[in-house]
Amino acid sequence: MATLLSSHQLSKGGILSNHPLKRLLDYGHGYHRQVWQASLCSVANKFFDLAPPALIGVAVDVVVKQQDSIIARLGVKDILGQFLILSFLTAIVWILESLFEYSYERLWRNLAQDIQHNLRLDTYKHLQNLELAYFEERSTGSLMSVIGDDINQLERFLNIGANDILQVVTTVFIIGVAFFIVAPSVAWMAMLPIPFILWGTFTYQDLLAPRYDDVREKVSFLNSRLANNLSGITTIKSFTSEEYEAARLAADSDAYRRSNTKAIKLSAAFIPIIRMMILVGFTALLLFGGIAAVNGKMTVGTYSVLVFLIQRLLWPLTRLGQTFDLYQRAIASTKRVMDLLDTPIDIHSGSKPLSVDTVAGNLKFENVYFSYPNGTKVLNNICLEIPASNTIAIVGSTGSGKSTLIKLLLRLYEVGGGRITLDQSNIAEFNLTNLRQAIGLVSQDVFLFHGTVAENIAYGTFDATDREIKMAAKVAEAHEFITKLPQGYETIVGERGQKLSGGQRQRIAIARAILKDPPILILDEATSAVDNETEAAIQRSLERITLNRTTIAIAHRLSTIRNADCIYVMEDGQIVEAGIHQELLEQNGIYAGLWRVQSGLKEVETPLR
């Protein structure tokens, strides 16, 4: 493959520097040794595969000429001896052919698996390093399609297509040389169709390329629909929209089918057309070669070899259609994979190390601005300071920018202006992993992975002991309900924790944060979706874990944050009020209005702090 698919740049119409194949070859630089080994085995296998027709010609020569045969000229006059030599050579050829076939099959398939494995890992790792906005603008299904099916298309080509191309080229070269040496007068007849076959192949390649690009796009839409519907199966059932969603899936599937049909319509015509071109060369050799043999200008053995070889030369060319079909699918998929790998990472890690043990937790937002790429302004000149070990609360209407502040602190987004400091240092200077290790997040939307309760509590603190996991669960008031589960801490929670209630998931998330023991804790609506009893339990655990650590609490229920050291009220991306609970009530502003609305609700007995 390294010989055939060279990475040099060609002129317009050939392989350009940004061609997916060139980019793949650049990526696969570390596999060159494996590629060469597999390629040599493919060539050697084809060499020995073409030897039997030559041996048949020698056998015919022995039968016809006997003591004047080619082998007899080497000194073996006995007919039995000549056939024994032929039998021995045949056995050697078949053994070597089989050996090299085993070798190239193993090498190409292992190479395909290695490249597929490493490319998928590299793509996934790159994907993890992209900013949060990238995922918000794309569907999970389309990304799964790239990491899954697109990389699998490349594997299919390496498994089959690369070897086929090599063997076709080897066949053309060996048989072409043999023809011009043995029978130059008719060699041109056998070779006549080859330029037209190659021209047709590359023409078809250009015609198929956009069709397979469309196929990959349609399958991406289909996968996106499937992933979205399976994730929302509860909503689909509750709104009895099964038929509606089945119809939408049918439309996407039909679009994929029609896109494939267009590609198949063109690719299926390739082999019949090539067969007609092959017919010309085969018929010419059969006719003119036969006449030459009858007239004594060519031996019967030579004619027999040529008739066998012309089939071995031309018929494999019909497989080029299937091979280039695989190639085009692989190139379309490679383009999508490489485009993802080429996506620039906007949020880069700083070089300054940050030890969790040394973090005091003093946070400061200095004139912070943030806007989405489309220009929508979210935060406007935010200035606030959170002293170490203090608890501050942020309240405000939906869309006021509260959660965006948290994402900026975690560097899930990058500030558009101003800066955020931790212990007097810009957070952009810190190693990104170290920074996030110093922050614990308990979110309103708790995400649990498919696995056991213990695994989810220990997520992010993977070296935690069973004793530490249980201690964290007890502090989070989760131990009691966990022990009542069918397998206790070894109970499988299901995808996204669907086997647990909202309050149970929330307490496991709190236990996870307790086990992490970060110097900075973020509570993003941690009690908004639970009942009063569960909220009281959560508040008791939060009261314990917020002591002596910097805490930021985002809340709609004002009763949960009334004892915070400072409460900030946000509106339209700005801080419009700040102070402790009583001061804000006396200001009779937005906070006071929110408090009056909620004051009739039962307050939680144990508020935060």
Side-chain angles (χ1 to χ4, degrees):
M1 191 173 77
T3 304
L4 288 168
L5 307 179
S6 63
S7 60
H8 63 280
Q9 296 182 18
L10 303 178
S11 59
K12 184 178 180 181
I15 299 176
L16 300 174
S17 60
N18 62 346
H19 191 280
L21 182 59
K22 167 65 165 62
R23 294 157 73 188
L24 179 62
L25 288 167
D26 289 341
Y27 171 82
H29 181 77
Y31 302 97
H32 281 184
R33 182 178 178 182
Q34 290 171 266
V35 171
W36 276 109
Q37 288 175 341
S39 300
L40 288 172
C41 288
S42 292
V43 171
N45 168 259
K46 181 50 63 176
F47 175 81
F48 289 107
D49 179 56
L50 294 173
L55 293 175
I56 291 173
V58 174
V60 171
D61 191 58
V62 171
V63 171
V64 174
K65 295 185 176 181
Q66 299 184 12
Q67 278 80 17
D68 293 326
S69 68
I70 295 173
I71 297 180
R73 293 173 200 163
L74 298 176
V76 181
K77 298 292 185 179
D78 180 62
I79 300 300
L80 178 60
Q82 293 185 50
F83 277 110
L84 286 174
I85 291 173
L86 271 176
S87 299
F88 176 75
L89 290 175
T90 299
I92 293 298
V93 165
W94 280 67
I95 290 171
L96 289 174
E97 179 191 356
S98 300
L99 179 63
F100 282 114
E101 181 172 3
Y102 165 76
S103 298
Y104 83 66
E105 285 273 2
R106 182 176 59 84
L107 287 166
W108 280 121
R109 289 186 180 184
N110 284 336
L111 175 66
Q113 292 300 318
D114 288 345
I115 290 181
Q116 174 191 235
H117 170 72
N118 291 322
L119 186 59
R120 181 174 286 118
L121 283 183
D122 288 345
T123 305
Y124 175 73
K125 288 176 181 177
H126 183 80
L127 200 60
Q128 285 190 131
N129 290 327
L130 295 175
E131 68 280 2
L132 191 61
Y134 181 87
F135 298 92
E136 294 172 342
E137 295 169 1
R138 290 161 180 82
S139 70
T140 302
S142 64
L143 295 175
M144 288 175 60
S145 177
V146 173
I147 298 175
D149 193 51
D150 282 324
I151 291 178
N152 289 343
Q153 289 288 349
L154 177 60
E155 178 205 2
R156 294 185 192 108
F157 173 70
L158 290 173
N159 273 340
I160 303 171
N163 173 71
D164 283 352
I165 293 175
L166 270 172
Q167 294 207 334
V168 165
V169 171
T170 303
T171 299
V172 171
F173 177 78
I174 292 176
I175 294 180
V177 171
F179 265 59
F180 280 104
I181 291 175
V182 175
S185 60
V186 295
W188 65 273
M189 300 177 191
M191 300 298 167
L192 185 62
I194 291 179
F196 296 98
I197 291 172
L198 294 176
W199 173 81
T201 297
F202 288 111
T203 300
Y204 259 77
Q205 177 185 333
D206 291 338
L207 293 173
L208 279 170
R211 301 197 180 197
Y212 280 126
D213 284 341
D214 186 59
V215 168
R216 300 314 311 154
E217 183 178 354
K218 292 298 191 298
V219 77
S220 174
F221 292 152
L222 179 60
N223 285 340
S224 178
R225 178 78 65 195
L226 282 168
N228 193 55
N229 285 12
L230 291 175
S231 298
I233 193 68
T234 302
T235 303
I236 292 173
K237 286 179 176 294
S238 64
F239 283 89
T240 63
S241 55
E242 289 91 344
E243 291 299 322
Y244 172 74
E245 290 300 340
R248 292 212 295 175
L249 181 66
D252 286 340
S253 183
D254 186 59
Y256 175 52
R257 179 184 62 81
R258 285 186 279 106
S259 182
N260 258 310
T261 299
K262 290 179 182 179
I264 292 169
K265 181 179 180 181
L266 187 62
S267 64
F270 178 80
I271 291 178
I273 293 173
I274 296 302
R275 282 181 181 272
M276 294 303 100
M277 295 181 183
I278 289 172
L279 178 64
V280 175
F282 183 76
T283 304
L285 180 65
L286 195 68
L287 175 62
F288 294 104
I291 292 173
V294 169
N295 292 335
K297 297 179 180 179
M298 183 187 301
T299 66
V300 176
T302 300
Y303 179 62
S304 301
V305 171
L306 294 181
V307 170
F308 277 110
L309 287 181
I310 189 67
Q311 296 179 74
R312 303 297 291 274
L313 170 65
L314 298 178
W315 291 118
L317 294 176
T318 60
R319 290 209 313 271
L320 280 178
Q322 297 171 329
T323 302
F324 276 96
D325 188 77
L326 283 173
Y327 171 76
Q328 280 302 336
R329 289 178 183 269
I331 287 300
S333 294
T334 298
K335 181 178 183 298
R336 284 160 50 84
V337 175
M338 291 300 161
D339 284 347
L340 197 157
L341 278 173
D342 289 343
T343 303
I345 297 172
D346 292 334
I347 298 177
H348 297 279
S349 176
S351 58
K352 187 176 181 179
L354 178 67
S355 174
V356 174
D357 297 333
T358 64
V359 174
N362 186 285
L363 291 168
K364 195 171 184 180
F365 288 74
E366 301 177 359
N367 307 109
V368 172
Y369 291 82
F370 177 77
S371 300
Y372 287 120
N374 62 8
T376 303
K377 185 173 288 187
V378 182
L379 298 178
N380 184 21
N381 196 29
I382 297 295
C383 295
L384 66 89
E385 184 171 1
I386 309 168
S389 301
N390 274 26
T391 294
I392 68 108
I394 304 174
V395 300
S397 59
T398 300
S400 60
K402 304 185 300 297
S403 294
T404 302
L405 280 178
I406 304 308
K407 291 173 182 177
L408 290 175
L409 178 59
L410 284 163
R411 292 196 70 204
L412 299 175
Y413 294 152
E414 201 74 293
V415 296
R419 68 173 191 160
I420 303 172
T421 64
L422 170 59
D423 298 337
Q424 289 75 51
S425 294
N426 191 332
I427 62 171
E429 299 173 1
F430 292 123
N431 176 279
L432 193 54
T433 300
N434 293 164
L435 174 68
R436 290 173 180 167
Q437 286 172 338
I439 302 172
L441 173 65
V442 180
S443 176
Q444 171 186 1
D445 183 20
V446 176
F447 189 96
L448 299 184
F449 293 88
H450 183 74
T452 67
V453 171
E455 287 171 342
N456 274 282
I457 293 176
Y459 192 81
T461 313
F462 302 107
D463 58 350
T465 64
D466 290 342
R467 181 177 175 276
E468 290 170 333
I469 291 171
K470 289 179 181 178
M471 285 297 297
K474 289 176 181 178
V475 175
E477 299 203 17
H479 178 73
E480 184 178 351
F481 88 78
I482 292 174
T483 55
K484 293 178 182 179
L485 294 174
Q487 283 83 41
Y489 282 85
E490 296 306 310
T491 302
I492 300 295
V493 302
E495 189 174 3
R496 299 182 66 91
Q498 60 188 356
K499 293 184 178 181
L500 303 178
S501 69
Q504 290 172 332
R505 290 197 297 269
Q506 198 67 264
R507 279 182 271 185
I508 287 177
I510 292 171
R512 181 191 290 169
I514 292 169
L515 189 61
K516 185 179 182 180
D517 193 25
I520 300 169
L521 180 65
I522 298 172
L523 307 172
D524 188 1
E525 302 283 5
T527 63
S528 64
V530 296
D531 56 63
N532 288 339
E533 183 180 350
T534 303
E535 181 182 0
I538 291 173
Q539 285 298 130
R540 286 194 297 270
S541 60
L542 291 178
E543 182 185 34
R544 290 192 289 271
I545 68 172
T546 55
L547 289 173
N548 300 318
R549 78 178 78 231
T550 304
T551 304
I552 302 173
I554 295 176
H556 276 117
R557 296 185 185 181
L558 303 185
S559 58
T560 63
I561 49 90
R562 56 185 288 182
N563 282 13
D565 294 306
C566 187
I567 301 170
Y568 294 91
V569 182
M570 292 191 66
E571 197 67 36
D572 295 328
Q574 294 178 302
I575 295 175
V576 293
E577 296 177 10
I580 61 174
H581 174 73
Q582 192 59 40
E583 289 174 346
L584 292 174
L585 289 181
E586 292 172 359
Q587 290 180 21
N588 199 27
I590 295 175
Y591 182 86
L594 291 172
W595 179 259
R596 283 193 294 270
V597 171
Q598 297 185 20
S599 59
L601 301 177
K602 181 180 178 182
E603 294 186 22
V604 179
E605 295 180 1
T606 309
L608 187 65
R609 294 296 292 265

